[in-house]
Amino acid sequence: MDIAKISKQLEDTGYIVLAKPLVDKLLVDLLRRCQEDDPTRFHAAQVGRGAAKKKINSMRGDVIDWLDASNSTDKIYLACMEELRLGLNEALYLGLFDYESHYAIYGKGDGYAKHSDVLQGKKNRILTTVLYLNEDWQACDGGELVVFDPTGNIVIATVEPTFGTMIIFLSESFPHEVLVSHATRRSIAGWFRVSGS
Ligand code: OGA
Ligand code: MN
């Protein structure tokens, strides 16, 4: 990953869309991991935390599975993110402490309404990453990520979830939504966090 380029653009605009920052072999292995083959793995995503945690179908339709550091494929992806974490800390003094990430599968008709990734009362998510794993994605498949400016009123980017594309953005600054997908849509969403509450 071109950490110099990523840190410069994060500093300038707060977000960056990368066409294919990871090698194909890894992407293919990650796609294989992002399959609902084992019914015990993926579960409905929830919105909120603790007492406020609930499943809101109308808000968010994906099923998720957290990456597993003991899996050989996940381990390679997590090592790439660790390199990015250290590089960004060096360049931008962000004090990023760790990285959490999950596979996500949106079925036909699923989306994720406009939201912020910074949970109420929990401000430790600093940077969001989303890596898309969809081969042969067509414009008519929908499922775009729409990124808004901090006011939430102006669209600043629309990203197609095509194979290998990755977006990185400041978690607190950019409300975003996933438009309804008309095909199965696979991704890895992740968050670099600072330590503390
Ligand atoms: C999320 C999210 C965006 C995407 O999981 O919080 O906003 O494009 N995902 O999948
Ligand atoms: Mn989000």
Side-chain angles (χ1 to χ4, degrees):
M1 301 187 96
D2 187 343
I3 293 175
K5 177 177 141 193
I6 294 169
S7 44
K8 171 141 196 341
Q9 204 175 320
L10 287 178
E11 195 165 31
D12 290 349
T13 64
Y15 77 98
I16 184 168
V17 180
L18 300 157
K20 203 178 251 193
L22 302 174
V23 296
D24 273 307
K25 162 83 171 82
L26 176 57
L27 294 172
V28 168
D29 288 344
L30 292 169
L31 171 58
R32 195 167 306 135
R33 283 275 295 151
C34 192
Q35 311 280 342
E36 263 184 300
D37 45 6
D38 173 355
T40 62
R41 273 185 62 211
F42 284 83
H43 53 268
Q46 295 178 309
V47 177
R49 274 202 183 228
K53 193 165 169 174
K54 48 184 176 261
K55 163 97 174 106
I56 309 174
N57 277 307
S58 59
M59 168 92 185
R60 172 169 189 187
D62 56 334
V63 291
I64 65 167
D65 181 44
W66 293 91
L67 268 72
D68 172 3
S70 68
N71 174 274
S72 58
T73 297
D74 294 10
K75 200 181 283 182
I76 296 171
Y77 176 75
L78 292 170
C80 295
M81 293 300 105
E82 178 64 6
E83 190 189 323
L84 180 58
R85 184 183 74 84
L86 295 173
L88 292 176
N89 277 348
E90 205 171 299
L92 301 176
Y93 307 102
L94 290 172
L96 304 174
F97 177 76
D98 68 0
Y99 180 71
E100 59 177 1
S101 55
H102 63 61
Y103 292 102
I105 305 175
Y106 292 74
K108 279 186 195 181
D110 292 336
Y112 192 161
K114 195 199 280 187
H115 66 279
S116 161
D117 284 348
V118 176
L119 306 167
Q120 263 183 350
K122 261 206 100 153
K123 299 235 168 231
N124 63 346
R125 285 177 166 180
I126 303 300
L127 272 182
T128 299
T129 67
V130 192
L131 171 68
Y132 299 105
L133 299 171
N134 306 296
E135 290 172 311
D136 307 318
W137 194 261
Q138 308 292 317
C140 62
D141 293 330
E144 297 93 343
L145 173 69
V146 181
V147 182
F148 296 86
D149 79 321
T151 70
N153 296 317
I154 300 166
V155 173
I156 58 166
T158 300
V159 182
E160 282 195 44
T162 54
F163 194 65
T165 299
M166 180 183 262
I167 182 168
I168 306 173
F169 60 89
L170 291 170
S171 304
E172 198 165 27
S173 302
F174 300 103
H176 52 280
E177 92 179 273
V178 177
L179 301 184
V180 170
S181 191
H182 306 300
T184 303
R185 176 191 191 273
R186 296 183 166 86
S187 61
I188 301 175
W191 296 272
F192 289 106
R193 306 185 299 183
V194 290
S195 73
S197 63

